[in-house]
Amino acid sequence: MNINRLIKYALDSNNNLMFVDNVPNGLECGCICPGCKEKLIAKNDGKIREHHYAHTSNKECITGYQTMIHLLAKAIIFKNKVLPGFVINNQLLQAKQIGLEFRMDDLNIIPDIIAIAPVPINYSLLGSSIGSIIKDIPLIIEIYVTHKVDEEKAKIIKKAGIPAVEIDLSKSEATTEEELIKDIYNPQNWSYINKDIGQNYVPRLNLNIPNPYGLFPPSYPTRPTTPRRGNSGYRGGYHRRRR
C-alpha cells in the first residue's frame, strides 16, 4: 500500500466520512484527518490537480490514507448490506441487519462488522446448501489494512462457530468508492477465519444491532454484482482491530 496516496475522504464534526468534492473549499470544510486527527484543507476548486485533502501543517501523514480505507470499506459494506466472502449458490449473501464494531460481550470481542443473514444451518463456505433449513445467524467480517486478526481473536471466533471472513485491503490503492468496491468484492482478497457454523453454535445476539458511527460516504454505487471466482490490539478488555 502506498501511504502517500491522496486522502479524498475525511471526518467532519459529526464523525461522517465526507468526500472532498462535497465540502466547502479550504479550511471551511471543517474536516479532520481520519488517522492523525489534524485539521485538513479541502483542495477542490482546481482544474489541473486531482482534488484531495491536505494537512494544515503540510506534514506527511502515514495513517491518514490507511484509516480512510478502513473506515470507507466498513461504510460501503454497511450501506450496501452485501456481504463479501459469504457465497451460497454463486450469490453473495444479503444482510438483514448489520452493525459496526458491535461488542459481543459473551465472547469478549469487537468485530469490525457483524451481520445477521439467513443461512442454511449446514452452511459451509466450501460448498452449496440447497434444501437446508434456513436460520438467521451472525456473520463476522474483518477488514485488514495494517493488522491481521490476531490468533487469540481467531480462536474465539472458531470456538464460537461463527462464520467469519477477513478482507485483505493492505495492498489497495483505491481513492474512490468504485475502486474500493472492486477490492472489497474481489475473491482473491478474501481469507476465511472460520468456514462453518460450529456444532456448539447458539443464537447469542439481539437482532437490533446498533450503528455507533455515522460513517457514510455521500453517495454509493448500486449493489455490487456477484464476483467471479479468481485463480489486534486491545481496548477496554475487548479484542479489537488496531487501525
Side-chain angles (χ1 to χ4, degrees):
M1 173 178 287
N2 182 355
I3 62 173
N4 293 319
R5 298 285 290 181
L6 296 177
I7 297 175
K8 292 193 174 184
Y9 292 86
L11 295 173
D12 68 7
S13 58
N14 293 316
N15 210 34
N16 293 309
L17 275 176
M18 300 301 297
F19 185 56
V20 65
D21 284 343
N22 290 357
V23 298
N25 185 55
L27 279 171
E28 292 184 6
C29 68
C31 292
I32 61 172
C33 174
C36 70
K37 310 305 183 198
E38 181 179 311
K39 288 184 178 180
L40 297 178
I41 301 170
K43 297 189 175 184
N44 57 13
D45 64 348
K47 296 183 179 180
I48 299 177
R49 293 200 61 188
E50 192 172 358
H51 293 181
H52 64 284
Y53 289 100
H55 288 73
T56 54
S57 65
N58 289 321
K59 73 176 184 179
E60 292 185 4
C61 177
I62 64 174
T63 61
Y65 177 75
Q66 295 170 339
T67 306
M68 181 196 79
I69 289 293
H70 193 275
L71 296 179
L72 186 57
K74 289 194 294 185
I76 288 171
I77 297 170
F78 183 93
K79 182 67 174 181
N80 287 326
K81 293 184 171 62
V82 178
L83 306 177
F86 297 106
V87 182
I88 292 182
N89 302 326
N90 296 318
Q91 294 292 325
L92 288 169
L93 286 179
Q94 178 84 18
K96 282 187 175 181
Q97 298 180 47
I98 194 166
L100 304 179
E101 298 194 1
F102 178 85
R103 293 194 175 201
M104 302 180 72
D105 291 310
D106 59 331
L107 298 181
N108 202 37
I109 61 173
I110 303 178
D112 281 334
I113 298 171
I114 182 79
I116 301 295
V119 176
I121 59 173
N122 68 344
Y123 173 72
S124 171
L125 292 170
L126 296 177
S128 64
S129 304
I130 298 176
S132 302
I133 298 173
I134 305 295
K135 288 189 176 182
D136 291 338
I137 71 164
L139 304 168
I140 287 174
I141 299 174
E142 297 284 355
I143 307 298
Y144 164 35
V145 179
T146 58
H147 294 87
K148 294 177 67 69
V149 171
D150 62 76
E151 292 183 7
E152 187 172 357
K153 186 175 185 180
K155 183 178 179 180
I156 291 171
I157 292 172
K158 291 177 182 178
K159 186 176 180 180
I162 301 176
V165 65
E166 184 173 66
I167 312 302
D168 184 356
L169 300 178
S170 62
K171 297 179 181 178
S172 176
E173 295 192 353
T175 57
T176 66
E177 293 173 34
E178 290 79 6
E179 291 172 351
L180 190 55
I181 282 175
K182 291 180 181 179
D183 290 337
I184 292 170
Y185 293 97
N186 180 355
Q188 294 183 355
N189 293 331
W190 305 343
S191 62
Y192 295 101
I193 301 167
N194 184 44
K195 293 184 176 181
D196 301 299
I197 301 173
Q199 294 181 352
N200 296 325
Y201 165 75
V202 292
R204 57 172 57 81
L205 290 177
N206 178 347
L207 297 186
N208 295 317
I209 295 178
N211 171 35
Y213 303 106
L215 300 176
F216 299 106
S219 62
Y220 285 85
T222 57
R223 182 185 305 175
T225 57
T226 301
R228 297 179 180 176
R229 295 185 180 277
N231 303 326
S232 155
Y234 302 97
R235 176 176 175 180
Y238 289 83
H239 297 286
R240 182 174 183 165
R241 179 69 50 81
R242 289 179 291 169
R243 297 292 178 261

